[in-house]
Amino acid sequence: MQGKIVIEEHFAIPETNGVKNRVASPYWDGLNAKLLDFENMRLDEMDKGGIELAIVSLNAPAVQGVDSPKEAVDVARRANDALAEQVRRRPERFQGFAALPLQDPDAAAREFQRCVRDLGFKGALVNGYSNGPDGKTGLYYDAPMYRPFWAEVEKLGVPFYLHPRDPPPSDRYAGIPWLVGSAWSFAEETSLHALRLLSGGLFDEHPKLQLILGHLGERIPYDIWRLEHRLKYRPDCPAKKPLSQYLRENVWLTTSGHFRTQTLINAMLEVGADRILFSVDYPYEDTQPGTTWFDHAEISETDRLKIGRTNAMKLFNLG
Ligand code: ZN
């Protein structure tokens, strides 16, 4: 399929680049160079994979991993300005998601306004919880101090992409370091953060908010029946609606880094093809395996067009 649009594709600025190798592996070779590049490898891979447009976002954890709120504000601003320059050069190939310094909710709301109104960004992509000032605790966005921020996001009318990062340091993964990161702990951490938002009443207070989850929903669609079934017996859960209703009204899923037809069909059965968007997760994933899988996945051509292109055009008003 030609003309695909992808929305979980990452870049870095020198301040946020530098992959910390979990273990020596050829996987990491060249990754830093690919994150810094826009015009060569990135465009070439997009062309080869039939991708017309990428909505690009900063690498992880980047701004979220900064302890000092002031420094987080500075890094976010520099990254957003650098991305805006790339969008200005090739708006037909690149659009942008804002990086936000949620260590300081008021500053994050102001930066989000600037990015949408002045830079023309299409939403924000945030890498999970933000570091607390002690560098040890995580700030999660269901906390009451974030309610004014969410009110501003709802007013701006653009989506918020909750992207993975590692869970806060603990000994839970002692002896199994290979499960830290994209194999398992990213989804564990991100799904729990998303469930804090979905079950905590945020979408009752701000029903127009739109949340995007990558990796085909960080496992939530697969578990939605059981979640909903068991929450019936929890009168202390603040959510006013069944969780599946928020999934269908407030959540969008992307295929980033999850190229599996069985999982895609499960997600389609739970939320419908109108709420799923194709994405790669470049350069953490190679483009070609993702595009080849998607172009041949056993779904209808109507659904392929929606997931590969037209859902993104509608969600981001791409015209
Ligand atoms: Zn990603």
Side-chain angles (χ1 to χ4, degrees):
M1 175 188 164
Q2 293 296 309
K4 288 190 282 295
I5 299 171
V6 287
I7 72 161
E8 195 196 302
E9 322 304 322
H10 306 295
F11 81 108
I13 55 174
E15 296 96 305
T16 67
N17 205 5
V19 171
K20 288 197 193 94
N21 294 8
R22 292 166 196 277
V23 64
S25 157
Y27 170 78
W28 303 106
D29 294 347
L31 204 58
N32 289 338
K34 282 185 181 173
L35 280 164
L36 293 172
D37 162 77
F38 270 84
E39 306 215 327
N40 298 311
M41 295 172 275
R42 188 183 298 267
L43 270 181
D44 189 46
E45 289 226 14
M46 286 168 64
D47 289 341
K48 284 185 190 145
I51 295 169
E52 182 181 329
L53 178 78
I55 303 183
V56 183
S57 50
L58 195 59
N59 62 321
V63 174
Q64 267 58 61
V66 175
D67 295 347
S68 148
K70 188 179 172 303
E71 195 189 330
V73 170
D74 289 348
V75 174
R77 196 176 176 92
R78 281 202 295 277
N80 291 330
D81 286 344
L83 180 55
E85 174 56 23
Q86 296 294 340
V87 171
R88 192 193 61 75
R89 282 187 206 169
R90 293 176 191 276
E92 73 290 358
R93 304 307 303 275
F94 300 125
Q95 290 290 320
F97 276 135
L100 297 181
L102 278 155
Q103 291 84 343
D104 178 342
D106 292 340
R110 284 194 300 276
E111 181 63 6
F112 203 2
Q113 283 171 356
R114 183 182 82 92
C115 286
V116 173
R117 292 179 187 157
D118 302 345
L119 306 181
F121 283 6
K122 300 298 176 191
L125 182 141
V126 169
N127 294 309
Y129 65 89
S130 291
N131 282 17
D134 62 358
K136 293 188 189 105
T137 43
L139 303 171
Y140 287 87
Y141 312 137
D142 59 325
M145 72 179 206
Y146 287 104
R147 288 301 165 101
F149 167 79
W150 287 117
E152 185 56 38
V153 178
E154 188 179 43
K155 222 186 289 171
L156 285 170
V158 293
F160 180 101
Y161 201 133
L162 186 67
H163 182 273
R165 69 177 288 192
D166 280 331
S170 81
D171 55 8
R172 293 189 58 237
Y173 285 85
I176 44 170
W178 49 88
L179 294 180
V180 175
S182 47
W184 189 261
S185 77
F186 276 3
E188 185 208 356
E189 169 64 26
T190 312
S191 55
L192 190 58
H193 198 165
L195 289 172
R196 281 171 175 261
L197 304 177
L198 292 169
S199 65
L202 176 66
F203 296 91
D204 299 314
E205 198 173 317
H206 300 292
K208 289 188 194 140
L209 280 180
Q210 298 296 318
L211 180 76
I212 306 176
L213 295 173
H215 314 100
L216 281 170
E218 311 291 1
R219 308 194 184 123
I220 291 175
Y222 197 78
D223 244 35
I224 193 67
W225 183 87
R226 181 164 165 78
L227 272 163
E228 206 168 285
H229 172 59
R230 296 311 306 178
L231 285 177
K232 278 184 221 148
Y233 307 110
R234 295 302 307 234
D236 53 344
C237 173
K240 293 203 175 109
K241 301 178 200 166
L243 289 201
S244 62
Q245 198 173 337
Y246 302 113
L247 271 195
R248 289 191 301 268
E249 292 173 1
N250 300 97
V251 179
W252 301 74
L253 311 177
T254 80
T255 68
S256 62
H258 203 136
F259 311 139
R260 176 78 166 163
T261 307
Q262 286 90 328
T263 325
L264 171 63
I265 287 173
N266 172 261
M268 289 165 73
L269 289 170
E270 294 295 354
V271 304
D274 290 343
R275 286 200 160 258
I276 302 176
L277 306 127
F278 176 64
S279 289
V280 173
D281 205 355
Y282 178 88
Y284 299 104
E285 298 287 347
D286 291 329
T287 304
Q288 187 262 331
T291 52
T292 303
W293 163 72
F294 180 70
D295 289 349
H296 297 96
E298 287 170 323
I299 56 174
S300 73
E301 293 311 313
T302 310
D303 287 343
R304 200 182 322 278
L305 185 63
K306 283 182 183 176
I307 295 169
R309 181 175 172 89
T310 53
N311 288 348
M313 292 180 75
K314 277 187 206 149
L315 179 58
F316 300 107
N317 285 317
L318 295 172

